[in-house]
């Protein structure tokens, strides 16, 4: 996959949650950022490709960062929001949707072994309680 003028349109919003230092493998001590990423489209490898193209590759991403030094790609789906049509119900503008929200908080123990924040975690405007809901108990998380 690559970004090109003839490619399909894709949009990804990325917001820095915190800056800090990595605590993993060959990257130990290197500056890094934890980023909230909100893809508007669903293209294959979209998040990995967009972050790499912007100069911020994901730690452990061998394909888009040539990073073979880590045991995994450090990409975690902390939350998922899915609009689902409600069958048999419609409003004046068409079909009505129900929003399904799924949360997968980051484990504080695993977190402490990978990244140390040097500033408090911030939440994106679109999800004002993200840090509280997904990072509580982690070093640097909002109380």
């Amino acid at each position: 996959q690559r970004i090109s003028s003839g490619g399909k349109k894709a949009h990804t919003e990325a917001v820095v949650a915190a800056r800090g230092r990595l605590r993993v493998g060959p990257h130990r001590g290197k500056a890094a950022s934890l980023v909230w990423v909100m893809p508007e489209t669903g293209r294959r490898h979209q998040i990995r490709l967009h972050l790499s193209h912007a100069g911020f590759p994901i730690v452990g991403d061998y394909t888009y960062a040539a990073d073979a030094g880590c045991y995994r790609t450090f990409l975690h789906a902390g939350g998922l929001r899915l609009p689902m049509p409600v069958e048999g119900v419609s409003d004046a503008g068409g079909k009505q949707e129900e929003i399904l929200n799924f949360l997968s908080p980051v484990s504080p123990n695993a977190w402490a072994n990978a990244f140390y924040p040097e500033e408090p975690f911030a939440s994106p405007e679109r999800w004002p309680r993200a840090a509280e809901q997904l990072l509580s108990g982690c070093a640097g998380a909002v109380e």
Side-chain angles (χ1 to χ4, degrees), residues 66-136:
D67 184 357
C70 283
Y71 60 94
R72 60 165 286 204
T73 299
F74 283 79
L75 181 62
H76 174 79
L80 189 59
R81 184 180 177 146
L82 299 172
M84 302 295 288
V86 177
E87 214 167 301
V89 178
S90 64
D91 59 14
K95 289 192 174 188
Q96 207 170 36
E97 292 182 336
E98 175 183 5
I99 305 297
L100 299 178
N101 291 302
F102 301 93
L103 297 179
S104 178
V106 176
S107 161
N109 294 333
W111 187 254
N113 293 325
F115 177 80
Y116 181 78
E118 295 177 338
E119 62 189 32
F121 289 112
S123 296
E125 279 185 34
R126 290 173 40 182
W127 191 358
R129 294 184 56 222
E132 174 188 341
Q133 291 174 322
L134 299 174
L135 302 171
S136 63

Side-chain angles (χ1 to χ4, degrees), residues 8-32:
K8 294 179 181 177
K9 291 194 182 290
H11 178 76
T12 303
E13 180 182 349
V15 178
V16 174
R19 291 171 180 81
R21 301 273 167 197
L22 290 171
R23 292 182 162 180
V24 292
H27 303 296
R28 185 173 304 280
K30 289 185 182 176

